[in-house]
Amino acid sequence: MPSGRFAPSPTGDLHLGNLRTAMVAWLFARSDGATFVLRFEDLDTATVRPEYYQRQADDLAALGLDWDEPVIRQSDRLAIYHDVVDRLVAEGLAYPCYCSRREIREAAQAPNGPSTHEGYPQTCRHLSHAERSARERSGRRAAYRLRTDERSIRFDDLVAGPSEGPVDDLVIQRNDGTPAYNLVVVIDDVASEIDVVVRADDLLSSTPRQLEVARVLGLPPPRYAHVPLVLSPSGDRLAKRDGAVTLADRGALGETPAQVRSFLASTLGLCEPDEPVTMADLLARFDPAGLPTQPLVLDPDRPIVGL
């Protein structure tokens, strides 16, 4: 059955921008009669904190969002990702890369450097077996990159419209053995039968790479809807350091989850800022064509009640 999803990383409390995107993802899915998946992207063990799984889920529930079981944790699916990487390497569709970020940057900037895909100059793409062995003997650990064609990929985004971006030999497994984001999200979205991926538009540029991963794996890609970011008054992407940006922060100011829900919905053109609404009310009014296409600037120091 087609599904939608919200996929946070449990590294801290969700801020208002995250919650706004989650609301849109829920509305997209439920308006199509689809199931809704909550998936925790928790492969970065250095930043994940156990307490945030439940705190993030509680904040979503406080706004009135529900989801279908089971809740997915990427950390439970490591064997699946590693099997895919092993298969791609065995089929010659991926190769080991021993480059550091500094070496990649310097090679790309060299006047007579190698031909490059957008981000990676293909330094390790054509290494001989002896050259690879020499790097391994020196103690270098390999990441793995997908072997791609040098091209751009066009796609129609349901919010951003016609879009295009380059594809390079992207990393599919880091040199510490962690499967990379652009690989695992494709595997997971297909496994959950995600029909529309709704996320913030800072990930718009990642979409061509994910479409390429799906093509190489022979998997049907989902459609995409990239929601404009919520920005701080300085014009930067909203972050928890910007002030009262979480549901707990707003509660400390005397604002209820219902009031935050109304405010966020008002920024999507679905109600007035102080209008009491449920998620069922918003679902009845939801029209993807009416979603804003420009970023929302939010002043965390300004009360949202009485606007």
Side-chain angles (χ1 to χ4, degrees):
M1 180 177 181
S3 300
R5 52 88 155 173
F6 180 61
S9 296
T11 58
D13 288 320
L14 299 171
H15 61 61
L16 297 180
N18 304 139
L19 294 170
R20 182 175 184 255
T21 300
M23 288 177 62
V24 177
W26 187 93
L27 290 166
F28 256 102
R30 296 307 195 202
S31 66
D32 281 342
T35 59
F36 189 64
V37 173
L38 176 58
R39 183 177 78 218
F40 287 109
E41 299 189 342
D42 61 350
L43 296 184
D44 190 348
T45 57
T47 58
V48 166
R49 296 292 180 268
E51 63 270 24
Y52 287 117
Y53 292 97
Q54 191 60 51
R55 284 170 61 165
Q56 290 186 351
D58 289 345
D59 281 355
L60 295 173
L63 285 186
L65 278 63
D66 65 343
W67 50 88
D68 296 275
E69 295 294 338
V71 173
I72 297 170
R73 297 188 181 193
Q74 287 183 334
S75 56
D76 293 333
R77 295 170 52 77
L78 276 169
I80 295 171
Y81 311 139
H82 286 306
D83 285 348
V84 173
V85 172
D86 291 345
R87 176 166 64 84
L88 290 170
V89 172
E91 294 176 359
L93 297 173
Y95 61 90
C97 173
Y98 306 90
C99 297
S100 68
R101 292 182 181 179
R102 178 180 59 81
E103 289 168 335
I104 293 171
R105 183 172 60 253
E106 291 176 351
Q109 293 172 348
N112 297 313
S115 171
T116 67
H117 290 184
E118 174 72 11
Y120 178 65
Q122 304 181 13
T123 307
C124 293
R125 180 169 175 147
H126 303 294
L127 292 180
S128 67
H129 177 74
E131 289 170 324
R132 289 176 180 169
S133 296
R135 283 162 172 76
E136 290 170 2
R137 286 195 301 272
S138 72
R140 294 222 174 186
R141 294 189 299 177
Y144 284 88
R145 291 182 178 273
L146 190 69
R147 194 182 299 272
T148 64
D149 297 327
E150 192 167 349
R151 65 195 180 99
S152 290
I153 291 181
R154 298 178 180 179
F155 61 99
D156 288 322
D157 190 89
L158 296 175
V159 176
S163 303
E164 182 176 1
V167 173
D168 62 356
D169 283 11
L170 61 140
V171 172
I172 57 172
Q173 182 170 292
R174 299 183 338 203
N175 64 6
D176 64 358
T178 303
Y181 170 77
N182 282 319
L183 175 74
V184 300
V185 295
V186 172
I187 295 171
D188 289 344
D189 286 341
V190 172
S192 294
E193 299 183 62
I194 303 301
D195 180 48
V196 179
V197 170
V198 179
R199 57 192 183 187
D201 66 4
D202 58 333
L203 291 170
L204 185 68
S205 62
S206 298
T207 306
R209 293 181 175 90
Q210 292 164 24
L211 289 169
E212 178 69 2
V213 170
R215 185 193 68 79
V216 172
L217 293 177
L219 299 175
R223 296 176 292 165
Y224 291 89
H226 286 86
V227 181
L229 286 170
V230 177
L231 306 179
S232 69
S234 66
D236 297 321
R237 180 173 58 180
L238 191 68
K240 287 180 279 292
R241 63 178 178 272
D242 290 319
V245 298
T246 69
L247 209 56
D249 294 334
R250 305 313 300 187
L253 297 176
E255 297 166 0
T256 68
Q259 289 170 324
V260 173
R261 176 174 61 230
S262 293
F263 168 72
L264 293 176
S266 74
T267 70
L268 300 170
L270 296 175
C271 68
E272 296 301 318
D274 285 342
E275 181 185 352
V277 287
T278 65
M279 290 303 299
D281 295 329
L282 300 178
L283 186 60
R285 303 176 187 183
F286 181 64
D287 178 3
L291 287 171
T293 58
Q294 298 300 315
L296 169 68
V297 178
L298 176 67
D299 184 353
D301 296 325
R302 184 179 181 185
I304 64 175
V305 178
L307 290 178

